[in-house]
């Protein structure tokens, strides 16, 4: 079990590092680049890391005896955290759009709303600091715990149904 805990700790540090690298790949407001978004490749690394971390959390949860009610309460708390974190992200994204709008206005005088929307949506490099930050790292971490809890509850329910069938 010690190996699982150490591996989970190391994986968490790696994921945090990837989020901070993505954060640092944000250009100054109003700057432009034709190189695409190099932080996009971080997403390719985060997907398998999410799966591995979820499995590690699941392994850790299997080791301890935890009541189903505690899992349900934990799931509710995680869902509340994820909703609050998502709303916070939307709030900070809107505030950052205003910063970019002002930088574009200072540079050229007028701001095209459609252009502003296009550069601040999806995986644009202009908003790497909105997609990769401490808040989104914590969202990633709690989502991996949520996945582990769901799989652990599924294990418990499967075990109960198999015992009833016997």
């Amino acid at each position: 079990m010690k190996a699982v805990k150490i591996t989970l700790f190391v994986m968490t540090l790696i994921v945090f590092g990837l989020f901070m690298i993505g954060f640092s790949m944000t250009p100054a407001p109003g700057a432009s680049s034709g190189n695409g978004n190099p932080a996009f490749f971080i997403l390719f690394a985060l997907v398998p890391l999410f799966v591995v971390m979820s499995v590690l959390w699941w392994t850790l949860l299997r080791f301890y005896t935890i009541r189903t009610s505690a899992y349900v309460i934990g799931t509710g708390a995680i869902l509340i955290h994820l909703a609050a974190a998502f709303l916070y992200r939307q709030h900070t994204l809107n505030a950052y759009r205003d910063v970019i709008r002002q930088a574009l206005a200072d540079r050229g005088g007028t701001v095209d709303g459609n252009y502003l929307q296009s550069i601040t949506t999806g995986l644009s490099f202009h908003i790497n600091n909105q997609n990769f930050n401490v808040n989104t790292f914590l969202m990633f971490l709690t989502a991996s715990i949520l996945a582990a809890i769901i799989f652990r509850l599924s294990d418990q329910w499967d075990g109960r149904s198999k015992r009833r069938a016997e």
Side-chain angles (χ1 to χ4, degrees), residues 65-132:
T65 303
I66 301 172
R67 293 180 167 200
T68 302
S69 60
Y71 284 132
V72 172
I73 292 168
T75 298
I78 288 172
L79 291 174
I80 290 169
H81 167 259
L82 289 173
F86 181 77
L87 290 173
Y88 176 75
R89 184 201 173 277
Q90 287 304 112
H91 173 74
T92 59
L93 176 60
N94 289 334
Y96 192 65
R97 280 185 177 134
D98 290 339
V99 169
I100 293 176
R101 178 182 289 113
Q102 186 60 47
L104 291 172
D106 291 346
R107 190 175 77 177
T110 61
V111 178
D112 178 13
N114 290 331
Y115 173 72
L116 179 65
Q117 188 66 29
S118 72
I119 66 169
T120 58
T121 302
L123 296 175
S124 168
F125 73 95
H126 291 281
I127 57 169
N128 281 341
N129 62 353
Q130 300 299 307
N131 293 327
F132 300 99

Side-chain angles (χ1 to χ4, degrees), residues 158-166:
D158 283 346
R160 287 181 187 156
S161 65
K162 287 178 184 177
R163 279 180 267 158
R164 287 183 191 144
E166 293 173 358

Side-chain angles (χ1 to χ4, degrees), residues 40-57:
F40 179 72
F41 295 107
I42 292 174
L43 290 177
F44 288 118
L46 289 176
V47 171
L49 289 173
F50 180 85
V51 172
V52 170
M53 286 186 73
S54 295
V55 169
L56 289 169
W57 283 116

